[in-house]
Amino acid sequence: MTKIDTSRPESVLPTPSHTVGPFYGYALPFPGGGDIAPVGHPETITVQGYVLDGEGGPLPDALVELWGPDPDGRLPRVDGSIRRDPATGGHLGRNGVEFTGWGRIQTDSNGHWYARTLRPGARGRSAPYLGVCVFARGLLMHLFTRIYLPGDDAALAADPLLAQVDEERRDTLIAVAEGNGTYRFDIRLQGEGETVFLEFR
C-alpha cells in the first residue's frame, strides 16, 4: 500500500469532492428546448449568443432558461414545453402549437446557445424583454438577467430597471440586432464586460 504525504498540497491528487459543481447536463436539457415559438409563426425571432467565463472562454456545459410574454405582453398560461408520453413516460417534445413562453437551452461545445421565440410585448412601464436564468458549473446559485431587444429607444430610455443601471453597463442587457429577425446576446459571467445580473428580494 502506497502512503501519500498529505502535508504537501502538491502531492495530493484531487478527489470528486474537489470538483467545482454543480453540473446541469444530466436530465435538465430536453430536445427542442430552444424552440419556444410555434412552428411557422410569422413573428418568430432568433436570440443567440455565447456564455463566457471571466477570461472570455466559452462554457460548454451551461444552461440558459428564457421566459417571455407573447407579442401582446400577455404571460402564457399553457402547458406543453416538456410533454411526457403517459404510457411510457418518454419525452414527446413540444406540441408545436402552443406558445409557452419558456425554454431551456444547453450550450454547445463552443459555449453557444440559441432560441426561437416570439418578440415579447411590453408589460407595464417596462420595455419589452425576455427574462433569463443562467445555470453553470461553479455557480452555486443561478443568475438572473434580462434581454432587452433594440428598436424602441424611447421605451428603453423609460425602462425603470435600465434607469438604475450605470450607463456604461446598460449595453450588457441589450441584444444586438443581426438582421433577419436575429439578435445576439452574449452572457459574460464575470470580468470585463460582465453582464448585469439581478437580485430578487
Side-chain angles (χ1 to χ4, degrees), residues 93 114 117 185:
Y114 78 92
T117 188
F185 187 81

Side-chain angles (χ1 to χ4, degrees), residues 8 18 24 27 29 40 57 61 90 95 98 104-105 107 113 118 127 131 140 142-143 151 171 174 195 197 200:
R8 296 181 15 247
H18 292 112
Y24 297 100
D61 53 2
N95 63 18
E98 302 289 346
R104 180 186 292 146
I105 309 101
T107 56
W113 65 274
L118 300 182
L140 300 181
H142 43 279
L143 301 173
D171 64 342
I174 302 171
T195 301
F197 295 107
F200 292 95

